[in-house]
Amino acid sequence: KQWYQRRVRGDLSVGNAMDMDTFVSVQLEQAKLRSTSETLKQIFQTFDWSCHGFISKSDFLRAVKEVMPNFSGAENLFDKADWDMDGRISWRDFISLMGVS
């Protein structure tokens, strides 16, 4: 196998070698993370009906009603999602709710 020198997210210092299989595996994992991030951004923007860069309670309730008209726990879900309790769901609140750090 060929060996490549790569620095990957600070996990390897300059001069450490990584085999091709490991390199490909790391690149695929990073591509998945980018894809997940892009999908989450699209969902966040869909819920941010007013395009303020955050999800207001009214935007959240409207979006949930569109998607799940018979769901009765939307206000409770909003309160759980609003981690910093500022009355809106920020991007940070949203990704925390989705289990992404």
Side-chain angles (χ1 to χ4, degrees):
K1 293 182 180 182
Q2 292 181 318
W3 292 82
Y4 294 87
Q5 292 187 356
R6 297 283 184 212
R7 180 189 285 256
V8 179
R9 292 184 149 206
D11 295 337
L12 299 174
S13 61
V14 174
N16 284 348
M18 178 188 304
D19 65 47
M20 183 56 116
D21 290 340
T22 302
F23 177 75
V24 169
S25 176
V26 168
Q27 295 304 312
L28 288 173
E29 187 62 31
Q30 288 178 350
K32 278 194 251 179
L33 289 174
R34 281 191 299 274
S35 176
T36 299
S37 178
E38 289 169 14
T39 300
L40 289 176
K41 283 179 186 175
Q42 289 174 347
I43 294 168
F44 182 83
Q45 291 169 343
T46 299
F47 274 74
D48 179 16
W49 287 46
S50 300
C51 299
H52 292 300
F54 58 85
I55 302 169
S56 68
K57 192 166 196 171
S58 62
D59 284 351
F60 182 82
L61 296 176
R62 181 186 309 166
V64 170
K65 187 175 183 177
E66 287 284 323
V67 176
M68 300 179 293
N70 298 321
F71 182 67
S72 61
E75 289 202 33
N76 189 34
L77 184 58
F78 180 87
D79 293 339
K80 287 181 181 179
D82 183 16
W83 289 76
D84 56 8
M85 296 181 286
D86 63 355
R88 57 189 183 187
I89 301 173
S90 66
W91 173 245
R92 178 176 281 183
D93 293 336
F94 185 75
I95 60 173
S96 293
L97 176 69
M98 297 304 208
V100 180
S101 55

